[in-house]
Amino acid sequence: MLRTIYPGSFDPVTYGHLDIIERSCKIADELIVGVLNNNAKMPLFSVEERVKMLNEVTCHLPNVVIEPFDGLLVDFARQRKADCIIRGLRAITDFEYELQMAQTNHKLGAEIETVFLTTNIEYSYLSSTTVKEIAAFGGDITQFVPEAVRRELNEKMKTKRRV
Ligand code: PNS
């Protein structure tokens, strides 16, 4: 039984994340999508909102569970008895940060491996930050995020414009 964790901020989940989730859950018996609950990162969406959107867009995947976490990722992985951490690599620019994170996690918990999946080339340019910027300026984000996320993001931007 292979239990894996795919951690991230998912602020909000994009088609790039969803591609990694769908491919990971073919490899793993159980995939836990760990949603970082860290207000220091000043997320646009609360952790509850991010978990809700992830639940909606992964409801067709029976071996995926969505869970918020705070604190160290290796502690969460140990607590959930996960064998490995999955991360997506989009481009060489991701590599330095991902390598540093994987090596730090290895120092903190050598029993938990980090496995990288290269992002589908179709989504290699895509990030939550870019999607939020396009939405903030009223651009069309249909090709970047699932419908449920598009709705939530557009609503959030409307609320922000009102304040
Ligand atoms: O989607 P992101 O923001 O690139 O995900 C980053 C995440 C959540 C994987 C990373 O910030 C994380 O693991 N945070 C938990 C704190 C931790 O364990 N830090 C030590 C490893 S660098």
Side-chain angles (χ1 to χ4, degrees), residues 147-160:
E147 178 54 22
V149 178
R150 190 188 66 78
R151 267 198 322 268
E152 295 290 334
L153 192 47
N154 287 339
E155 271 311 304
K156 183 70 87 181
M157 291 303 170
K158 270 190 220 156
T159 325
K160 274 180 77 90

Side-chain angles (χ1 to χ4, degrees), residues 4-158:
T4 60
I5 290 189
Y6 176 41
S9 302
F10 305 106
D11 186 40
V13 56
T14 67
Y15 277 134
H17 296 126
L18 196 53
D19 171 58
I20 296 286
I21 293 172
E22 284 173 344
R23 285 159 56 207
S24 303
C25 72
K26 285 185 199 151
I27 302 168
D29 297 294
E30 186 183 335
L31 176 71
I32 300 163
V33 178
V35 185
L36 183 68
N37 183 10
N38 178 2
N39 287 335
K41 279 205 173 186
M42 306 252 283
L44 177 65
F45 290 99
S46 69
V47 72
E48 292 81 12
E49 290 170 323
R50 287 177 277 145
V51 166
K52 179 174 164 276
M53 285 186 276
L54 274 157
N55 270 316
E56 279 186 58
V57 303
T58 60
C59 63
H60 59 298
L61 303 168
N63 57 339
V64 174
V65 290
I66 317 294
E67 291 184 14
F69 79 99
D70 48 30
L72 287 176
L73 176 57
V74 289
D75 288 341
F76 178 57
R78 277 197 192 110
Q79 182 204 329
R80 300 297 285 106
K81 298 192 171 25
D83 306 290
C84 70
I85 293 164
I86 292 189
R87 290 287 288 172
L89 269 183
R90 285 170 302 190
I92 195 77
T93 43
D94 280 345
F95 185 73
E96 209 167 320
Y97 169 63
E98 293 298 336
L99 182 69
Q100 188 186 25
M101 200 156 61
Q103 287 178 334
T104 308
N105 285 335
H106 183 78
K107 280 281 177 198
L108 295 173
E111 76 281 15
I112 304 156
E113 295 291 347
T114 297
V115 175
F116 293 106
L117 293 188
T118 52
T119 301
N120 187 321
I121 206 138
E122 205 184 327
Y123 306 120
S124 59
Y125 61 89
L126 189 55
S127 75
S128 300
T129 307
T130 314
V131 172
K132 282 183 282 193
E133 189 168 325
I134 297 168
F137 290 112
D140 181 10
I141 52 169
T142 315
Q143 55 185 317
F144 307 130
V145 293
E147 178 54 22
V149 178
R150 190 188 66 78
R151 267 198 322 268
E152 295 290 334
L153 192 47
N154 287 339
E155 271 311 304
K156 183 70 87 181
M157 291 303 170
K158 270 190 220 156

